[in-house]
Amino acid sequence: MFWRFGFQSASAIDALLDKDSVTLEELFEVDELLQECKAHNSKLIDFLSKPDNLNKLLLMLTNSELDDAKKYKYPYLACEVISCEILTVCDGLVADIALLNTFWTFLDRPAPIDPLQASYFSKVNGILMQKKVAEMIEFVRNQPDVVKRMLQHIANASIAELLLKIISVEELPEAQGIVGWLCAQGLIPQLIDRLEPSLDIEIHNTASQTILDIIAVSYQNIAAQEAAIAAGEAVSTEGSTSLVDQLKSAPIIKKLVGFMLDKEAPNASSTLANGINIIIEIIRRYCSEIEQAEYQQHQFQQQMISPRTGNILPTEEKVRILATDLNDLLHALGDRVEEMAVLLDNPRTEPFFTAVAGDVVPLGSERLKTCELFAEILHLQYLYYSSPLFDRLVESSTSTQASAPSPASTATLTAPAPAPLPSDPTSTAPPSVSVEGSEVTARKLDSSQGDVDALAAAVSRMQVSAQTNVADELVAVTDKFVRSRILPMCLKLFFDFPWNNFLHSVVYDMIAKVFNTYSYTSTTSYARPLPQPEVDGSEDPPAAAAAAAAAAFASASPDGLEAKMVGVKASFKALVLSIAYFFGRIRLPNFVLHTTVAFQILVEGKLSALIIDAQTRNDAIEKEPRGTRLGFMGHLTYIADEICKLLEKCGADFEGDTDTAGTAVVHPDWDAYVNGVLRETKERDRQLLGGARPAQLGAPHVPVAQMNPELLDALPAGMGSGGPAVAASGASGTAAGGDSGDASSSTPSAAAVRLGEADGWSSGINFD
C-alpha cells in the first residue's frame, strides 16, 4: 500500500511523543488521537500504559472539577481511548485494584448522579468486563455493599445497564456463579422493596423496568446454556436461574401482591400496574418455555434416524421444572383473587373528568391492568392444558410426589355411596358426597352463597397432596375465578365502557380462551364425560356442574391423567356457566361484607341475551340522525361467534343445563340472531374492501355503449364516453366537422373500460 513506502506524512502524535515532557492533556488536543489509538500506535500505547496516565484516564471520566473548555471533551476522549480495547491499557487498569476502588467511589455520590458521567462509568466497566471477565467479576464481588450502592442509582439507565451486563456474563465459564452471588446479596428483595406503594411513582417505574430486564437477560442465559447442552458441551447450570427463581418464590410474590393491593398507600395504583407487568412477563416467559419444549419434542419425534440417538428432548429434568415452576406464583395469586375482584367493581382511585354530557368516570388503569392479568392466566391455562407435553408434565410431577411421600400425599378419595332416597317426597334433605376429611353437599342453592360453596367443594379435591403442580394450581385459580365472578365482572365492564377497545380486546381474549379450553378438555381422550346429575328445574347449572365434578373426582384415580382432565373440565364448565348464566349476579367477597352495610346484587342477565340487547340498541342508535355504531360491536360479533363454536362442539354438555335452568345458556331469540344479524355481519366482513375483484387483464373489451346504463348514469359528468380526455377529443372533432363515429371508436385503447355485468363488478358498486 501507499504508506508502506514511507510517503505518508509524519504523525503529529509521534512528533509530540518524542518530547520528554509531553502530558496526557497535550495529547488530547491532537485531533489524530483516536485514529492513532485504533491503529495501535506502539509509542502511544506505551505512553498510555504508564500508571500515572492510566490514573488520569480513569479518574478523568468522573471528574466534576474540570473547567468548561475541558468538561465535556476530556472525559469523552478518555472514554473513547479505553474503549479502543488496547490490551495493555486494560491489563494495567484491572491490575491496579486501588485505582479501580477509587473509580467505583462514583457510586457513593448522592443521587441523582450526572447522567453523562454515569454513561462513561458504565461503558468503561463494560469494556473491562468484556476483556477481563474473571478479574472484574472478582473485583465486583469484593466491593462492599455493591448491590445496594448500584440500586441507589438504578433510576439512571446507564447504571441499570451495567447491572444487566454483570448478570449477562453468567453464560461465560469465567463468570459462572455471579447470578447466585447477586441472589445471595438480596438483589431481587431490594428491587421489590422499591415497589413499596408509599414511594414515588418514578421509583416504581425504574424498579419494575429493571426487574423486567433481569427476567429477559436471565432467560437469555438459560437459552444459551440449553443450546450448549444440546450441542454436547459440559455446562454448569447451577445458580443460573437463581434470580428468576427467587422472584417466583412464595415470599417475594406474596410481598409484591401485598404491595399491589394496599388500600391506604397513596401510590398503590402505580405499584399495581408495575406489579402486574412483572407477573405477566413471568407468565409469558413460562409460556415461551412450554412452547420451546413442545418444539424440541416435535423435532425429536420427527427425526428420521433410526434408531434415535441422544437424550429425549426436552429432558425429564426440564419437564419436571416446568411442571412445578409457577406453583408459588399461582398459589399466591389465587389467595388474593377475591381482593383483586373488588378492584374491578370498586377501584381505589376513580378520577373523573368533565365532558359536554357531564362528569365521566373512565375505566382507569387499575381495572384494565387487572383484566389483563386475568386474561394472561386464562391464556396460560389454555396453553398448558392443550400442550402435547401435558401427559409428561403430569406424570413428572406425579413421580416426584411418589418419590417423596408426605402425610398429606397419602390421602385417598373415598367413592361416594349412593345417596338413599328420602322417605318423604317433600323432603329437601340434600344428597351428600363424602370425601375423607370433608363433605361435599349438592343442594339447592340460593342466589348468593350456595353456588359458591358447591363450586369450591367440587374442585377442592384436586389438591390431594401437599406438593401440587401447575395443573393443580391452575384448577384452584379457576375455582377462585368462578367464586369471585371474575368473568361476569369483566363482561359488565365490557358493556359499561363501549368505547374502550383495549378493554374489549382483553375481555374477548378471556372469553375465547375459556371456551377453547373447555372445548379441548371436553374432546380430549384423557377425560371421561362428567356424570349428569338429575336435578329439578329450580337448581342452578353451576350447582349441577359442582355435583358432577365431585362425583367424578370421587370415582377417579387421584394421580392419573384422567383425574387431572376431569378436574379441569369440571372447573371450566363451571367457568363457562358463570359467563353464560350468572352474568350480573356479582357478590362482594366476605371480607368486604364485614365492613359494609350491604352489598349490591346487580340485575340478573345472560350473555346471549345481552348480546341480542346490545345488537338491538346498536341498530336503534345507527338509525338516529348522525348515529354511530357502538365501539364494542366488532368484538361482540367475535364473542357471539365463539359461543356458536362452543355450542357446535360441546352443545350436548349443556343440554341438561339449558333444560333445567329455563334456557339459561341460550336465549330463545338466539337462533334468529345467529341466522340473521350475525350471518349478515360475517358475510359483510368477508367481502373485499373495494367490492368484487377488478376484471383480469385478459378480459374482453366491453364498449361503453354496452355497459350497464345504471352504472353510466352514476358516473360523473364527462366520464360516460371514456373519461374527460375522450369527451374533450369528441367535442373538438365535432366542431371541426368531422364524424366522431360510434362511442367505441372514439375511446382510446389506453382508457378502455373493461367492466360489465359478465365481470360482476358493476353490481357491487355503491355510489351513494
Side-chain angles (χ1 to χ4, degrees):
M1 296 181 180
F2 179 77
W3 50 86
R4 290 183 178 178
F5 299 96
F7 296 106
Q8 71 276 15
S9 59
S11 172
I13 294 291
D14 291 338
L16 193 60
L17 291 174
D18 289 337
K19 299 180 181 180
D20 296 335
S21 59
V22 64
T23 62
L24 187 63
E25 289 77 5
E26 292 177 342
L27 287 178
F28 279 2
E29 298 298 331
V30 180
D31 296 337
E32 301 174 356
L33 174 62
L34 296 181
Q35 179 180 348
E36 292 296 325
C37 286
K38 295 176 182 178
H40 291 271
N41 188 312
S42 57
K43 289 184 179 181
L44 179 60
I45 292 175
D46 293 340
F47 178 81
L48 294 175
S49 301
K50 295 179 180 179
D52 292 342
N53 293 329
L54 290 177
N55 194 339
K56 290 181 179 180
L57 272 177
L58 204 58
L59 300 183
M60 196 178 292
L61 296 169
T62 57
N63 190 351
S64 302
E65 300 177 356
L66 297 174
D67 56 35
D68 293 340
K70 304 175 182 178
K71 185 176 181 180
Y72 298 105
K73 181 179 180 180
Y74 282 14
Y76 166 75
L77 290 174
C79 179
E80 292 300 317
V81 167
I82 298 175
S83 300
C84 290
E85 302 180 5
I86 302 173
L87 185 58
T88 55
V89 172
C90 294
D91 290 341
L93 292 175
V94 173
D96 195 342
I97 302 299
L99 177 59
L100 286 179
N101 286 329
T102 304
F103 183 50
W104 274 65
T105 57
F106 176 73
L107 295 177
D108 298 330
R109 298 182 183 180
I113 54 179
D114 184 270
L116 185 61
Q117 293 180 353
S119 66
Y120 295 150
F121 177 83
S122 176
K123 184 175 181 179
V124 168
N125 279 291
I127 293 296
L128 296 178
M129 203 167 296
Q130 181 179 351
K131 290 297 181 182
K132 297 291 181 180
V133 179
E135 293 84 351
M136 284 300 298
I137 291 299
E138 184 65 23
F139 170 78
V140 170
R141 285 185 172 185
N142 294 330
Q143 285 291 299
D145 297 328
V146 63
V147 173
K148 182 179 179 180
R149 291 159 63 194
M150 294 184 71
L151 291 181
Q152 179 185 358
H153 307 289
I154 199 63
N156 189 289
S158 299
I159 302 301
E161 182 181 355
L162 177 60
L163 178 61
L164 296 177
K165 177 67 176 178
I166 295 174
I167 297 174
S168 63
V169 298
E170 170 72 23
E171 62 185 21
L172 301 177
E174 300 89 345
Q176 287 184 1
I178 186 62
V179 170
W181 178 82
L182 289 173
C183 183
Q185 295 296 312
L187 174 60
I188 294 299
Q190 292 184 59
L191 284 172
I192 295 296
D193 288 339
R194 294 180 177 274
L195 292 173
E196 204 274 327
S198 62
L199 298 178
D200 188 70
I201 295 177
E202 290 299 325
I203 298 178
H204 295 166
N205 295 336
T206 54
S208 172
Q209 187 59 48
T210 303
I211 293 176
L212 294 176
D213 293 338
I214 289 175
I215 294 173
V217 172
S218 298
Y219 275 96
Q220 289 177 0
N221 292 344
I222 294 173
Q225 291 173 352
E226 289 182 350
I229 293 174
E233 301 178 10
V235 178
S236 174
T237 60
E238 183 178 358
S240 59
T241 61
S242 299
L243 292 176
V244 177
D245 292 341
Q246 188 178 27
L247 181 60
K248 293 183 289 190
S249 63
I252 296 297
I253 293 297
K254 289 181 179 179
K255 188 175 186 179
L256 176 60
V257 176
F259 286 162
M260 292 162 54
L261 298 176
D262 191 298
K263 299 179 183 178
E264 305 295 336
N267 295 325
S269 297
S270 172
T271 301
L272 177 72
N274 287 289
I276 287 178
N277 288 337
I278 293 172
I279 294 174
I280 288 177
E281 182 66 18
I282 293 175
I283 294 176
R284 288 179 178 174
R285 292 289 179 173
Y286 177 80
C287 292
S288 298
E289 290 285 292
I290 292 285
E291 292 173 346
Q292 178 65 21
E294 291 175 1
Y295 175 76
Q296 291 176 347
Q297 177 170 287
H298 175 73
Q299 290 295 102
F300 181 80
Q301 293 173 347
Q302 295 298 320
Q303 288 180 3
M304 302 303 295
I305 303 176
S306 182
R308 293 190 177 102
T309 58
N311 296 326
I312 299 177
L313 295 177
T315 62
E316 289 301 324
E317 176 67 16
K318 180 69 175 178
V319 174
R320 185 189 63 80
I321 293 174
L322 291 176
T324 58
D325 197 26
L326 292 186
N327 281 8
D328 294 334
L329 184 144
L330 293 174
H331 188 75
L333 290 177
D335 290 342
R336 309 297 290 271
V337 163
E338 293 181 350
E339 297 178 58
M340 293 183 183
V342 177
L343 297 179
L344 296 177
D345 197 43
N346 296 306
R348 289 168 294 191
T349 57
E350 289 190 0
F352 64 88
F353 58 89
T354 302
V356 177
D359 294 339
V360 178
V361 178
L363 176 69
S365 61
E366 280 192 354
R367 292 193 280 196
L368 180 60
K369 280 294 182 181
T370 304
C371 290
E372 289 179 359
L373 175 60
F374 294 150
E376 199 64 37
I377 294 175
L378 292 173
H379 175 76
L380 170 62
Q381 290 175 328
Y382 173 72
L383 178 67
Y384 193 89
Y385 295 135
S386 62
S387 172
L389 292 172
F390 182 76
D391 54 343
R392 292 184 63 186
L393 293 171
V394 173
E395 291 171 356
S396 176
S397 61
T398 303
S399 62
T400 302
Q401 297 173 17
S403 62
S406 61
S409 65
T410 60
T412 59
L413 292 171
T414 304
L421 294 175
S423 57
D424 184 3
T426 62
S427 173
T428 58
S432 298
V433 179
S434 298
V435 188
E436 182 180 351
S438 65
E439 184 175 359
V440 179
T441 302
R443 61 187 181 277
K444 294 183 179 180
L445 307 174
D446 57 27
S447 61
S448 60
Q449 184 64 35
D451 52 347
V452 175
D453 296 336
L455 288 171
V459 186
S460 62
R461 294 312 307 153
M462 282 300 296
Q463 300 177 350
V464 296
S465 66
Q467 184 177 4
T468 59
N469 57 19
V470 174
D472 300 331
E473 295 296 343
L474 286 175
V475 170
V477 171
T478 305
D479 170 50
K480 300 292 180 59
F481 278 18
V482 175
R483 294 184 350 186
S484 303
R485 307 293 194 271
I486 294 298
L487 288 174
M489 284 184 173
C490 294
L491 280 168
K492 178 181 180 298
L493 295 177
F494 181 96
F495 290 100
D496 288 347
F497 296 92
W499 302 108
N500 195 316
N501 285 148
F502 295 104
L503 174 67
H504 303 158
S505 178
V506 172
V507 174
Y508 162 70
D509 186 61
M510 296 169 69
I511 301 299
K513 290 299 182 292
V514 170
F515 288 175
N516 292 337
T517 304
Y518 181 76
S519 299
Y520 179 83
T521 55
S522 297
T523 56
T524 182
S525 59
Y526 295 137
R528 295 179 296 123
L530 286 178
Q532 297 291 340
E534 297 181 0
V535 294
D536 57 27
S538 62
E539 186 155 14
D540 294 335
F553 273 114
S555 61
S557 172
D559 293 331
L561 293 176
E562 181 183 10
K564 301 295 184 183
M565 272 300 179
V566 167
V568 172
K569 182 179 179 181
S571 298
F572 273 87
K573 183 171 184 179
L575 198 58
V576 170
L577 291 175
S578 73
I579 299 171
Y581 184 74
F582 281 112
F583 175 80
R585 196 163 64 190
I586 304 171
R587 182 177 63 81
L588 297 181
N590 292 330
F591 74 93
V592 178
L593 296 179
H594 297 327
T595 58
T596 58
V597 179
F599 58 88
Q600 178 183 14
I601 299 177
L602 302 177
V603 179
E604 173 138 354
K606 303 174 182 65
L607 179 57
S608 57
L610 287 169
I611 293 176
I612 295 174
D613 293 342
Q615 182 66 51
T616 304
R617 180 159 57 100
N618 176 76
D619 295 341
I621 293 176
E622 284 188 313
K623 292 179 181 179
E624 295 177 356
R626 311 180 75 176
T628 305
R629 189 168 181 254
L630 292 177
F632 55 58
M633 291 306 299
H635 289 95
L636 201 66
T637 301
Y638 290 156
I639 293 176
D641 196 35
E642 292 296 332
I643 295 176
C644 294
K645 294 177 183 177
L646 177 68
L647 295 178
E648 180 182 354
K649 295 180 180 178
C650 311
D653 294 349
F654 300 97
E655 289 179 357
D657 300 317
T658 56
D659 294 339
T660 58
T663 65
V665 178
V666 180
H667 191 273
D669 298 332
W670 179 255
D671 290 339
Y673 168 77
V674 171
N675 297 324
V677 177
L678 182 59
R679 173 178 291 181
E680 293 174 0
T681 302
K682 293 171 66 175
E683 290 178 354
R684 184 181 65 247
D685 293 344
R686 281 197 294 263
Q687 291 180 0
L688 299 174
L689 293 178
R693 292 183 180 275
Q696 301 297 326
L697 295 178
H701 170 68
V702 180
V704 176
Q706 300 178 12
M707 294 181 65
N708 187 354
E710 296 180 0
L711 175 62
L712 295 176
D713 293 339
L715 291 175
M719 294 189 65
S721 58
V726 178
S729 63
S732 62
T734 304
D739 187 7
S740 60
D742 60 10
S744 59
S745 62
S746 63
T747 304
S749 59
V753 182
R754 301 178 183 270
L755 301 176
E757 291 294 340
D759 299 324
W761 184 82
S762 60
S763 60
I765 295 181
N766 183 8
F767 289 95
D768 294 335

